[in-house]
Amino acid sequence: MATISQVSGPLRLTEHPLQRCGAWAVTVLAGQEQVGDVSPEVLDAVAERIVADAVLAGCAAPGSGAYDWWKVLFALYPNAKPTHARRERDPAVLRTQVAELFAVDPVDGPVYGCTFCGQACRVLWAKATLPMFDSIRAVNTLPPGMAGWAVCRGCRVAMWALPYGAWLTAGSATVLTCDSPQVERDFVRRNVRRAGRIRQLGFGRLPAIAGPEAVTLEALRVHAGDAPAAATLWMFKNDNQEPWLRVSGTRSGVARFLQLTAADPYCAAGWRDLQRALTRRDKQGRVLAGGAREAARLLFDRDGEQADRLPRELWRRSEDVETISPRTLVRWRALCRLYVEVMYDMNADRLKAVADLLADWIAQEAHRGRLNQYRRAAGSGYELHKLLLTASARLLLDGRDQRVDSDVLGDLLADGSRGWRERTVLWFDVVKGLQDRKVPIAAGSDESDDAEQAEEIKFDADGELDQEGEESA
């Protein structure tokens, strides 16, 4: 029987997202603080645990938590010994086969530099044991003359510790890279705990509430004071159909935004209101998509984009002002203004003169005709310009000359992202101006009365994480 040697090289933290997640997972599983603290003996113990869990999963009956762990392994290593359709079902035999994956390098043979960390090694791995390496549509994507990718023992263990540290579904995994190592470790620590629940209970016992974005935001908030940090999520699948990879991330200003949101009672309450609004339930009232997860996604940009989805969503949800409570509108205004101030260093007060002009013009009528005119024009620089000319002329005829700085108008009416961001801030300022003028535009009742409470919020709704659930692949 193959055994896991007590002699091995050190585990190193590299820049490869999958190896990096696995290295942190080894560290957390071993109860260590830093990757450099993982000794050869500690690495041996983690490898033994990986082998035991893989063997249990490979021999498990469908419907059990262990079988759901097999689904996870199959999604990452579809042709490996414990996941192959023709795998050995005798635990003793299967354990021998799996343990060989993590055995010490042979004493002789060609020496290579590890693909991940560069350490000398003699073991070559390929798609069967490495996630996201080689497509099934390619006969060989390896370097000429190579039978596989060189992987040292530390990195072999890390690449199979990966599912413990990743956010998992039955068909995909998500790993995190961040400028802050502490954020990475926190992300992995939460996922190691969740992986244990999956192995025990299976995915069916974990309602769909939290998600990798929400867990990332909480870690960013906790460590925002260390230094501005950007985070990237790598979601992938590696099964025998076709591998895919989706990348999304936050900008460095998001960590500061999270910290300030949690510290401001109105912004914190606005975030909670948004989470409630984004929660989706079925006809029986069961949660289909948790608000913490859906709200967190708004702060992530898809690869190559800078979408600013949070202010867009706040604007979209507030357009039907008749259905939103006045207090929620005030909170969402605070949240939107904080976002543009932090992310773009924008002085939101610069739009006050324009907001006053529009609010005064709308308030002249007792019915909603003018509000609806503004609502229809608010999203277009061209239409808003025409409306501002009309409103200014009307007020001037009434003896009220309200002038607006031309530079402000230029930015407000511009095409592109800058223009719509400023028009979003203007929308909330006009709504607030109408509230101050006692113009009845919103729903009459408030959902809650906690705006003045400086209650700390957690962006992953930590109470919900006791019932964490997978995201559908």
Side-chain angles (χ1 to χ4, degrees):
M1 175 183 295
T3 60
I4 296 173
S5 170
Q6 295 297 310
V7 180
S8 62
L11 175 66
R12 295 183 179 178
L13 190 65
T14 75
E15 296 303 314
H16 192 284
L18 305 189
Q19 191 276 351
R20 194 172 182 87
C21 176
W24 278 119
V26 170
T27 305
V28 172
L29 287 168
Q32 305 298 315
E33 285 299 318
Q34 301 296 330
V35 174
D37 297 334
V38 177
S39 66
E41 294 76 18
V42 169
L43 187 67
D44 290 338
V46 173
E48 290 283 4
R49 175 171 176 177
I50 292 172
V51 170
D53 289 342
V55 171
L56 183 62
C59 299
S64 64
Y67 187 76
D68 277 5
W69 190 247
W70 176 85
K71 293 178 183 178
V72 168
L73 298 180
F74 178 76
L76 302 182
Y77 324 96
N79 297 309
K81 295 295 185 181
T83 61
H84 198 281
R86 298 180 181 177
R87 63 188 177 278
E88 177 60 57
R89 303 305 174 105
D90 183 326
V93 177
L94 183 58
R95 189 196 184 285
T96 300
Q97 295 174 346
V98 177
E100 288 174 352
L101 298 175
F102 310 109
V104 68
D105 289 21
V107 295
D108 53 17
V111 177
Y112 311 98
C114 176
T115 302
F116 301 101
C117 69
Q119 294 187 93
C121 62
R122 289 190 171 94
V123 174
L124 301 179
W125 271 13
K127 177 181 171 62
T129 45
L130 284 175
M132 290 304 294
F133 277 71
D134 305 328
S135 167
I136 60 172
R137 296 183 181 180
V139 175
N140 183 16
T141 59
L142 292 162
M146 292 288 288
W149 298 94
V151 189
C152 71
R153 183 164 184 259
C155 289
R156 279 183 277 142
V157 176
M159 292 302 282
W160 274 68
L162 162 69
Y164 296 83
W167 177 274
L168 301 172
T169 76
S172 70
T174 302
V175 303
L176 168 76
T177 55
C178 183
D179 300 336
S180 167
Q182 289 305 311
V183 171
E184 292 179 334
R185 192 184 190 285
D186 277 9
F187 181 83
V188 168
R189 177 180 56 82
R190 298 294 292 273
N191 290 332
V192 166
R193 187 180 72 182
R194 183 172 181 267
R197 294 174 179 174
I198 293 171
R199 293 196 309 276
Q200 293 177 14
L201 305 174
F203 286 111
R205 298 281 296 278
L206 302 178
I209 293 179
E213 295 88 355
V215 175
T216 300
L217 291 195
E218 178 59 15
L220 283 173
R221 182 191 69 84
V222 170
H223 297 287
D226 300 341
T232 302
L233 290 176
W234 311 76
M235 177 184 291
F236 67 96
K237 182 177 73 168
N238 190 57
D239 64 12
N240 272 330
Q241 297 178 9
E242 183 63 26
W244 52 256
L245 172 68
R246 298 170 189 160
V247 182
S248 63
T250 67
R251 286 165 272 161
S252 58
V254 166
R256 177 68 174 158
F257 169 74
L258 298 174
Q259 191 178 48
L260 294 175
T261 295
D264 182 279
Y266 278 90
C267 291
W271 186 265
R272 286 192 292 268
D273 288 345
L274 182 61
Q275 288 180 328
R276 282 192 289 267
L278 290 170
T279 300
R280 292 187 285 113
R281 301 178 182 272
D282 61 17
K283 294 181 179 179
Q284 288 72 43
R286 292 172 297 196
V287 174
L288 298 174
R293 180 183 73 177
E294 298 303 309
R297 285 177 169 176
L298 298 175
L299 293 176
F300 283 78
D301 299 321
R302 296 181 180 88
D303 192 25
E305 296 182 0
Q306 189 168 303
D308 294 312
R309 296 165 64 200
L310 176 62
R312 286 181 186 270
E313 185 68 20
L314 292 172
W315 189 359
R316 186 182 73 81
R317 290 194 170 269
S318 65
E319 279 189 304
D320 192 6
V321 292
E322 294 86 351
T323 64
I324 308 295
S325 75
R327 193 183 298 277
T328 294
L329 289 170
V330 170
R331 294 167 176 174
W332 284 355
R333 173 178 178 264
L335 195 60
C336 181
R337 287 166 66 90
L338 178 63
Y339 181 89
V340 297
E341 288 168 358
V342 172
M343 302 299 291
Y344 293 99
D345 198 26
M346 173 183 167
N347 177 13
D349 290 333
R350 67 198 295 267
L351 300 175
K352 185 178 186 306
V354 185
D356 286 344
L357 186 156
L358 287 168
D360 286 344
W361 174 71
I362 294 170
Q364 284 183 331
E365 288 192 350
H367 58 80
R368 298 178 184 269
R370 289 186 177 179
L371 174 61
N372 289 333
Q373 281 184 262
Y374 170 55
R375 183 158 36 193
R376 289 191 294 268
S380 164
Y382 175 72
E383 295 297 331
L384 180 60
H385 188 201
K386 291 197 301 182
L387 186 65
L388 286 172
L389 291 175
T390 299
S392 179
R394 180 68 263 176
L395 292 174
L396 186 60
L397 289 174
D398 293 339
R400 300 162 65 183
D401 185 8
Q402 295 181 239
R403 298 183 182 273
V404 178
D405 185 273
S406 59
D407 290 339
V408 173
L409 276 181
D411 293 336
L412 180 66
L413 304 176
D415 294 329
S417 58
R418 168 118 193 202
W420 76 254
R421 281 196 303 269
E422 300 229 354
R423 292 191 288 275
T424 299
V425 175
L426 177 64
W427 165 260
F428 283 107
D429 283 356
V430 171
V431 169
K432 178 63 164 56
L434 294 174
Q435 290 176 327
D436 292 343
R437 290 162 177 77
K438 309 300 182 184
V439 177
I441 59 168
S445 61
D446 290 313
E447 297 171 8
S448 59
D449 193 35
D450 58 357
E452 291 79 16
Q453 298 178 17
E455 176 188 349
E456 181 184 32
I457 60 171
K458 292 191 175 182
F459 288 86
D460 62 359
D462 191 65
E464 294 181 320
L465 286 178
D466 290 335
Q467 308 176 67
E468 291 165 325
E470 105 269 15
E471 171 190 356
S472 58

